Amino acid sequence: MSKSARTRARNQQRHKNLQNRGRSSRARNRKNALIKREVPWGGIVFFTVIGVVSAVAIAFAFLQTRGPSAAEAAISGVVEKEGLSREHTTGAVEYDTAPPMGGAHDPVWQNCDGRVYDRPLRDENAVHSLEHGAVWVTYRPGLAGDQLDRLKDKVDGTDYTMLSPYPGQDAPIALTAWGRQLMLQDASDARIDAFLRAYVKGPQTPEPGAACDGAKDTP
């Protein structure tokens, strides 16, 4: 074979190789485009979001139905009451504990944004505050001044709490949340802080975080 013939053959082979590479490249591009069209990205994103939302809802439901938290379980002496009515009434309600732990109550709540009251509160308004997640700290009139000052320091400026005298209660000091109550003898008792941590907007509260101001501002 002559030199010119060999040169033509090489050029023809080179041209053929370039054509083959071009066809392979076009085939790959068509395949990738087909894959992109076939993958339902919109559906994948939608169902991923649905899955995340469902997982969060299941976790929330679990937390709501689980037993007492470690903080709650560690507080000795707490009395619990379940199945309390949440009906609204403008009339007087006969409660079976003093202070009441919940039940039917006035449509207007007592302001409980760290309020210190120097006179007894109306039970029916205070109970509405408990429904919103407040802890009601009460003391028997005649409590020593240093004891009362300790209670004021706990409540003053602490959101979702209120302090007031409560004539006739069984112990010098009582802490009450919706469905929970602790009677104490001394304002230095460490269980006061534990109770506040566990029950200010606690898990047993029917409407945790609902308004605690803008309503009844006087005893």
Side-chain angles (χ1 to χ4, degrees), residues 159-177:
D159 213 9
Y160 286 86
T161 62
M162 54 188 178
L163 172 70
S164 72
Y166 200 98
Q169 69 180 28
D170 290 341
I173 299 166
L175 277 70
T176 306

Side-chain angles (χ1 to χ4, degrees), residues 124-206:
E124 291 79 7
N125 299 102
V127 168
H128 195 155
S129 302
L130 302 184
E131 185 185 41
H132 289 187
V135 168
W136 185 14
V137 182
T138 55
Y139 59 93
R140 204 159 52 196
L143 186 70
D146 61 327
Q147 295 278 299
L148 182 55
D149 287 341
R150 282 179 176 270
L151 296 180
K152 288 180 179 179
D153 287 342
K154 299 288 186 185
V155 170
D156 187 23
T158 302
D159 213 9
Y160 286 86
T161 62
M162 54 188 178
L163 172 70
S164 72
Y166 200 98
Q169 69 180 28
D170 290 341
I173 299 166
L175 277 70
T176 306
W178 184 273
R180 303 290 187 270
Q181 190 168 77
L182 177 64
M183 295 289 186
L184 299 171
Q185 299 296 317
D186 194 290
S188 62
D189 196 311
R191 288 176 292 173
I192 293 177
D193 288 338
F195 192 96
L196 292 173
R197 285 193 300 269
Y199 296 116
V200 167
K201 295 185 285 188
Q204 89 296 343
T205 303

Side-chain angles (χ1 to χ4, degrees), residues 14-31:
R14 189 180 297 114
H15 180 69
K16 185 176 181 180
N17 290 341
L18 289 173
Q19 287 180 325
N20 288 339
R21 284 198 294 270
R23 283 194 292 270
S24 297
S25 178
R26 288 193 294 274
R28 284 195 301 271
N29 291 338
R30 286 195 296 272
K31 183 178 180 181

Side-chain angles (χ1 to χ4, degrees), residues 87-93 104-107 122 124:
E87 293 183 4
H88 284 181
T89 177
T90 56
V93 179
H105 51 269
D106 194 278
R122 184 170 178 264
E124 291 79 7

